[in-house]
Amino acid sequence: MSQPPQPSHSLDPVQLGAYFALIEVAGLLRHAVEQQLREAGDLSYVQFQLLARLGHSQTGSHRMTDLADDVVYSRSGLTYQAGLLERRGLIARTTSPDDERGVTATITDAGRELLGRVMPGHAELIDELLFQQLPREDAQALADLLAPARDHMRSTPPRSAARRRRR
Amino acid sequence: MSQPPQPSHSLDPVQLGAYFALIEVAGLLRHAVEQQLREAGDLSYVQFQLLARLGHSQTGSHRMTDLADDVVYSRSGLTYQAGLLERRGLIARTTSPDDERGVTATITDAGRELLGRVMPGHAELIDELLFQQLPREDAQALADLLAPARDHMRSTPPRSAARRRRR
DNA sequence: GGTCTGTGCTTCGAATTTGAAGCACTTGCC
DNA sequence: GGCAAGTGCTTCAAATTCGAAGCACAGACC
């Protein structure tokens, strides 16, 4: 037999619990939402996120790299998903005007239409699963608690694309 | 041109913000942790979760189905991951004593050893990314906010295995 | 016992995901 | 200008993921 695992030196039980709960809730939520989106509009979660980002932006456009960072996704994965969305006519890809290398994704009317069709059910589900359990002011509290961590992780070292290896 | 997307009827901006922050933080956290685990012990996040579950349980054992539900994973995916872990000698699989159909996964000494070796770095990273930004009492608050939602999602309809289709 | 339905896990095939490598353009610097 | 290094995206191959289908045992009912 062996020793029980060492208790962590860095995290106390409260923190550990909060961390686990966070991961667990996110996982459960994502899992449930994924099914709803699949049924409502045959969209994966990432695809939905991409449409939502584009749909909510002023111009309806974003560069590929920015999108990848936004949804925390690999660049090659984004290329793949953007290809699927483009094939369905939900987004369009054009080379960026200012940078010949760049590609700008733009949501199409069809994309907006689908987004609008899927959104209500999505919101309803989130509401049912998450916010039925949380009074309004708790939702605010949750957002306030998470915001600093998000900003910290966004700012500090890691972009979704790790720095490229020297050759 | 087309209409901007309909605002949701079910979620106000505060709730939407909390929801997005939750997904975003979880994604960023998972992404960062994944790299740390890969380097520290060549483990994927799921594999780490599985070892952690087993390591922290009294017996060091769990049924496959329970594990799948715990980590919010498909059953076939779990079979695959358990196969990898078993091949590396980190867990052992045996048919359950009470149910001939069931399979019980048990962490091995090597598994405990690896878990113990990876855990400190893991905890450190979580601490750095998440809890440096959160005073102790806020961690408690976060856990308290998430717990009801987790329990709700755990209890209500959806297990990780959808009910089987009638034939 | 025998049958019918349900459950636990694995196998299978198809779709997705990712990092590494490749290509094209940009920027910095001489 | 011209070269070197950096960035944006895609392509490629390999690993992972999931649901559906399959197999074996369990449990209920007769």
Side-chain angles (χ1 to χ4, degrees), chain B:
Chain B
M1 276 306 140
S2 56
Q3 304 292 319
Q6 305 280 329
S8 150
H9 295 293
S10 310
L11 297 181
D12 62 48
V14 168
Q15 293 176 322
L16 209 56
Y19 162 54
F20 285 159
L22 178 69
I23 293 297
E24 200 174 344
V25 166
L28 288 167
L29 205 53
R30 191 184 182 111
H31 199 264
V33 163
E34 205 128 60
Q35 295 190 289
Q36 190 269 323
L37 289 174
R38 184 68 64 192
E39 290 173 16
D42 196 39
L43 288 174
S44 71
Y45 194 65
V46 197
Q47 292 172 342
F48 168 74
Q49 282 182 297
L50 295 174
L51 288 183
R53 284 278 173 188
L54 294 175
H56 284 87
S57 83
Q58 198 56 47
T59 62
S61 301
H62 271 306
R63 311 192 88 216
M64 295 285 279
T65 291
D66 296 334
L67 282 173
D69 283 344
D70 283 346
V71 301
V72 191
Y73 218 62
S74 74
R75 287 141 191 282
S76 52
L78 181 63
T79 294
Y80 178 74
Q81 289 296 342
L84 294 183
L85 288 174
E86 189 177 39
R87 201 179 317 165
R88 287 174 64 182
L90 302 174
I91 68 168
R93 279 188 289 189
T94 51
T95 62
S96 304
D98 52 321
D99 186 338
E100 201 65 28
R101 298 166 299 175
V103 171
T104 299
T106 307
I107 190 170
T108 63
D109 287 353
R112 286 189 194 277
E113 194 276 326
L114 178 59
L115 185 58
R117 194 145 45 80
V118 160
M119 205 50 172
H122 177 73
E124 229 168 284
L125 184 59
I126 298 296
D127 185 53
E128 205 281 299
L129 294 179
L130 190 58
F131 293 116
Q132 290 295 315
Q133 316 302 316
L134 288 185
R136 177 70 47 87
E137 65 268 21
D138 282 0
Q140 179 68 63
L142 182 60
D144 292 342
L145 286 174
L146 293 174
R150 179 197 55 202
D151 296 341
H152 178 56
M153 289 190 273
R154 283 291 188 200
S155 65
T156 324
R159 301 234 315 175
S160 122
R163 72 188 63 116
R164 201 167 292 200
R165 174 161 311 171
R166 307 293 180 84
R167 64 170 177 139

